[in-house]
Amino acid sequence: MLKKLDIRNFTLIDHLEMMLYPGFSVITGETGAGKSIVIGAIGLLLGNRADAKQVKRGCDKCIIEATFDLSIYHSDVLKGFFEENDLDYEPEECLLRREVNANGKSRAFINDTPVTLALMRELGEQLIDVHSQHQNLLLSKEDFQLNVVDIIARDRQQLADYRAAFAELRSAQHRLAELREQIATSRDNEDFLRFQQKELSEAKLTLGEQEQLEQESELMSHAEDIKRALHEADCGLSGDDTGIVNLTRSIVTQLRSVADVYPEAQELAERLDGCFIELKDISQEIASKMDDVEYDPQRFNLITERLDLIYTLQQKFHVQTVDELLDRLNAINAQLSNIDNSDEQLQEQEQEVARLHAVCVEKAAVLTDMRRKSATLVEQELSKLLVPLGIPNVRFKVDVSTADLSATGADKVMFLFSANTSTDMQPVSQVASGGEIARVMLSLKAMISKAIGLPTIIFDEIDTGVSGRVAEQMAHIMHDMGAANRQVLCITHLPQIAAAGSTHYKVAKHETEQGTVSTMTQLTDEQRITEIAQMLSGSDVSQAAIDNAKSLLAL
């Protein structure tokens, strides 16, 4: 329930603070006084688009703040919303705030925590339903009519189950379409793919092959230079008289010959002997490598041809390594395998689509059954409500016909209406007058609010096109809605409706030094009499109008 509404610097409002109460309340005021401004402010809390023009001239920003009491509804859904979004849950003081800066940018808060506009909209739609005149156009929308039937049917879980199954079906259908497209494309390219497969397969490529061949090619290309360097190194180390190895061995022998008389020579000899062993080992290894380095023209030609083939394939397939060529071959093999097995894959996917379609049909049938039963209830309840609203010969039918599977099921819902016994029933939006549509919408809202337990409902001039006895009946309906643990607010120009409210607010416009300002005040009992009398007779309030006003308030 909406406990308090605080509006600051919003269009013509400086500061408006309203305390609101359970039951049925009314808001009156002359045309242009600012009643729609209040609705616009509440709309911001429901996620409506913000506009810099909404900020009062000369102010930096406007603030719309609403305080709700959620404790009286004991809603696990609302509590779950706060827990899922990591928001503080304070059921007795739930605060929604929207701030709009003069540059048009806005911020949203729930219990002083910044939130996205989408999150505020999601919560706001569970707390307030604003019915404005343009919503009467919803009666021409098939999805609105279907939604009404679903609400009365209480098929939320069944609809969620169906939508999950339908999402799976659409996904499977999408995969089937993709598979068919892939198969068609692959078959168009089959000859080319098989040519590529043959070319890569016949190359018999192996991992690491390119690096090994390139290294061997480089070695053969410099074989003479390598052999010359190794030969000169071998001569320097192992030459008969001047070779380093023989000289080192001779020096070691001389040092050891004087070791007895010069002990330090022994240590030097041992150190040099270690060098002799290493030099001798290096000399032997160089000698052996000289035999390994040979230039084989035939082998060199084979290596060159093999590398040319690899380079050609890399260029043709736009890759850099043999590994990538092998990956390409594997991909081609997979594509050709899909082509070879495409009929089987296609059949499996078609069977999956058929299976999921059957599941959807089954779940849609459950929805259809619930909707047809709900349609009967809507017809009966709406007829009961519309007869006292001045349509004694009303005929109303909820036509539930079969449709193709969609996200909402396999049903098409249409509201058929006739206000006279002599005319055939036709779609309500085509044959009902503005006043009749308003009465139909009020009746539907009464049914919906009872079914889903909307905490707060605001009617913005739902009484358009009606008067007299019909207005009294509309007031009774809204009063009964308020009495059923609901909060109902109605902006009205009709005294019959204004008199039925438990609480009465008046919107007025005043001229000040700072400009035009709208205000909203809660009326006392005496003020209500005067206000309703003015609504009955105009600005010149007669005693008869006052008496009539008192009579209306006594009802």
Side-chain angles (χ1 to χ4, degrees), residues 358-395:
V359 171
C360 285
V361 169
E362 182 180 350
K363 291 183 180 294
V366 174
L367 283 174
T368 299
D369 184 59
M370 297 181 72
R371 287 166 174 168
R372 291 189 185 281
K373 292 176 181 177
S374 170
T376 302
L377 294 175
V378 173
E379 292 168 357
Q380 294 172 351
E381 185 67 19
L382 213 61
S383 296
K384 290 179 183 178
L385 292 170
L386 289 173
V387 169
L389 287 176
I391 316 178
N393 298 316
V394 65
R395 286 179 294 152

Side-chain angles (χ1 to χ4, degrees), residues 13-63:
I13 297 175
D14 279 331
H15 182 203
L16 186 153
E17 186 173 350
M18 290 172 53
M19 300 302 298
L20 295 144
Y21 306 96
F24 177 43
S25 301
V26 295
I27 302 173
T28 61
E30 296 181 2
T31 301
K35 299 185 296 297
S36 60
I37 295 176
V38 177
I39 296 298
I42 293 174
L44 286 179
L45 298 177
L46 299 179
N48 290 351
R49 181 177 176 273
D51 192 324
K53 295 178 182 178
Q54 294 169 324
V55 180
K56 196 174 189 297
R57 182 178 299 178
C59 298
D60 295 331
K61 65 179 178 180
C62 68
I63 300 174

Side-chain angles (χ1 to χ4, degrees), residues 101-112:
N101 294 326
N103 60 10
K105 294 182 179 179
S106 73
R107 296 191 300 166
F109 301 84
I110 297 176
N111 288 337
D112 289 326

Side-chain angles (χ1 to χ4, degrees), residues 24-31 35 389 435 438-439 442 459-475 478 490-501 504-505 528 531-537 549 552-553:
F24 177 43
S25 301
V26 295
I27 302 173
T28 61
E30 296 181 2
T31 301
K35 299 185 296 297
L389 287 176
R439 283 171 271 181
L442 174 62
F459 291 106
D460 183 9
E461 299 185 4
I462 189 71
D463 51 20
T464 300
V466 301
S467 59
R469 181 66 179 169
V470 173
E472 290 182 10
Q473 292 299 323
M474 293 181 77
M478 287 185 280
C490 179
I491 296 175
T492 182
H493 289 291
L494 297 181
Q496 294 90 342
I497 292 178
H504 191 151
Y505 303 91
R528 288 193 72 185
E531 172 68 7
I532 293 173
Q534 287 179 338
M535 295 174 73
L536 286 166
S537 63
L552 286 174
L553 287 167

Side-chain angles (χ1 to χ4, degrees), residues 139-333:
L139 272 179
S140 62
K141 307 294 183 182
E142 290 181 11
D143 55 347
F144 171 78
Q145 299 177 25
L146 177 62
N147 189 44
V148 170
V149 173
D150 280 334
I151 289 172
I152 304 304
R154 301 179 187 272
D155 60 7
R156 181 175 179 177
Q157 185 58 55
Q158 289 80 2
L159 184 58
D161 292 344
Y162 169 80
R163 282 177 170 161
F166 185 74
E168 287 189 52
L169 172 61
R170 292 300 299 270
S171 178
Q173 289 173 332
H174 181 67
R175 291 195 299 272
L176 177 60
E178 284 186 336
L179 180 59
R180 284 172 172 162
E181 184 177 351
Q182 290 171 2
I183 291 172
T185 302
S186 296
R187 283 177 174 166
D188 289 341
N189 298 329
E190 183 176 0
D191 290 341
F192 180 62
L193 288 172
R194 294 198 183 280
F195 169 77
Q196 289 184 318
Q197 182 195 42
K198 182 175 182 292
E199 192 173 28
L200 288 171
S201 297
E202 289 179 348
K204 300 185 185 307
L205 301 169
T206 59
L207 292 175
E209 175 185 10
Q210 182 178 353
E211 292 79 4
Q212 180 182 348
L213 290 173
E214 287 174 340
Q215 184 178 1
E216 191 175 351
S217 174
E218 187 73 11
L219 181 66
M220 283 194 176
S221 297
H222 298 84
E224 291 301 322
D225 294 335
I226 296 170
K227 284 182 73 68
R228 185 181 305 110
L230 290 173
H231 176 72
E232 290 179 359
D234 181 59
C235 290
L237 288 170
S238 303
D240 292 339
D241 296 325
T242 60
I244 295 173
V245 174
N246 290 333
L247 288 174
T248 303
R249 181 173 56 186
S250 176
I251 294 169
V252 170
T253 300
Q254 291 180 16
L255 287 173
R256 283 176 174 166
S257 69
V258 296
D260 291 339
V261 295
Y262 186 63
E264 287 85 349
Q266 181 63 32
E267 181 183 352
L268 293 172
E270 290 177 356
R271 289 170 62 188
L272 196 56
D273 189 46
C275 294
F276 166 75
I277 294 171
E278 181 67 17
L279 287 170
K280 184 178 180 182
D281 185 60
I282 292 172
S283 175
Q284 291 173 349
E285 189 171 344
I286 288 174
S288 68
K289 287 187 179 297
M290 289 175 59
D291 297 332
D292 293 338
V293 179
E294 292 291 343
Y295 176 73
D296 184 349
Q298 186 175 1
R299 174 63 181 166
F300 185 73
N301 288 335
L302 289 174
I303 291 173
T304 302
E305 290 175 1
R306 184 65 176 170
L307 286 173
D308 286 344
L309 173 62
I310 291 173
Y311 296 150
T312 300
L313 290 173
Q314 288 174 345
Q315 185 176 14
K316 183 179 292 186
F317 287 92
H318 306 288
V319 297
Q320 302 294 324
T321 66
V322 171
D323 289 5
E324 291 176 298
L325 286 173
L326 291 172
D327 289 341
R328 184 63 60 87
L329 176 59
N330 290 334
I332 292 171
N333 287 336

Side-chain angles (χ1 to χ4, degrees), residues 487-549:
Q487 183 184 46
V488 180
L489 286 85
C490 179
I491 296 175
T492 182
H493 289 291
L494 297 181
Q496 294 90 342
I497 292 178
S502 302
T503 309
H504 191 151
Y505 303 91
K506 182 177 180 179
V507 178
K509 187 164 62 176
H510 309 281
E511 295 296 331
T512 68
E513 294 180 357
Q514 289 75 33
T516 305
V517 174
S518 287
T519 61
M520 185 170 177
T521 56
Q522 181 179 340
L523 302 182
T524 64
D525 291 342
E526 289 299 321
Q527 289 171 331
R528 288 193 72 185
I529 293 172
T530 303
E531 172 68 7
I532 293 173
Q534 287 179 338
M535 295 174 73
L536 286 166
S537 63
S539 57
D540 296 329
V541 178
S542 64
Q543 185 59 45
I546 291 176
D547 292 340
N548 196 3

